[in-house]
Amino acid sequence: MMANKGTILVVDDDSAIRQSLVAAFFDAGYSVRLAADGLSALAELKDFKPDVLLSDLTMPGMGGRELLAIVRRRFPAIHLIAMSGAYSSDEVPDGIAADAFCAKGVHLSSRLFEILPDFTSSDRSHLARVAAG
C-alpha cells in the first residue's frame, strides 16, 4: 500500500473532472474528498481539514472565488489552488485568494502534480520560497 502523500479536497461542479482528478490523486497516493460546489466544500471542512483545497473558480451557487476567500480567512493553514478554463496562465489571477493556479485543459493533471509536493510535504520550509515568488 502506498504511503499517504497528503490530503486534498477537490471542488468542481463538473463530475467528470472531479472523478478524473480523484482517480489520478488516489493512484498517486493522496487521500481525496470531493465537493460539487462551495457550500458542499464548507460542509466537508467541518470535519476534514485537507492539506490542499483545489477549487474551480466558476460554479453555480457559491463559486470558487468566494469559497477560496472564506477558506483563506477561516482556515489559513489549508493551501489553496484555484483552477479554471477561463484563464490560460499559470499565474494566480488578480483578486483570487489562492497559493497557486492551474488552467483547466490537457495539462491540468501534470501541472497539479508539479505543484502539489510544495503544499503537501511534511517539510514546509519551501513555502517561504513559494510565497516570495
Side-chain angles (χ1 to χ4, degrees):
M1 185 172 157
M2 194 176 302
N4 185 336
K5 292 183 178 179
T7 56
I8 303 170
L9 176 58
V10 176
V11 187
D12 198 307
D13 59 316
D14 184 326
S15 63
I17 289 175
R18 284 194 315 270
Q19 294 305 320
S20 67
L21 289 174
V22 74
F25 293 149
F26 182 79
D27 288 348
Y30 293 93
S31 175
V32 185
R33 288 204 190 172
L34 303 174
D37 57 46
L39 291 175
S40 298
L42 290 177
E44 282 289 326
L45 291 172
K46 287 181 180 178
D47 67 349
F48 174 67
K49 302 301 183 279
D51 296 311
V52 174
L53 185 145
L54 170 64
S55 179
D56 187 15
L57 291 179
T58 307
M59 297 179 286
M62 179 188 288
R65 292 171 188 267
E66 185 178 358
L67 171 65
L68 293 170
I70 291 169
V71 173
R72 173 67 78 215
R73 285 190 310 269
R74 291 187 187 170
F75 308 103
I78 297 174
H79 300 289
L80 305 176
I81 302 175
M83 62 181 171
S84 177
Y87 301 94
S88 60
S89 171
D90 284 336
E91 298 296 318
V92 177
D94 289 339
I96 304 298
D99 301 303
F101 177 80
C102 294
K104 283 185 176 179
V106 188
H107 303 292
L108 175 62
S109 291
S110 61
R111 169 74 176 136
L112 287 168
F113 282 116
E114 285 175 13
I115 62 176
L116 275 175
D118 287 339
F119 302 116
T120 57
S121 73
S122 58
D123 175 15
R124 305 281 175 147
S125 63
H126 61 281
L127 291 177
R129 292 190 307 273
V130 171

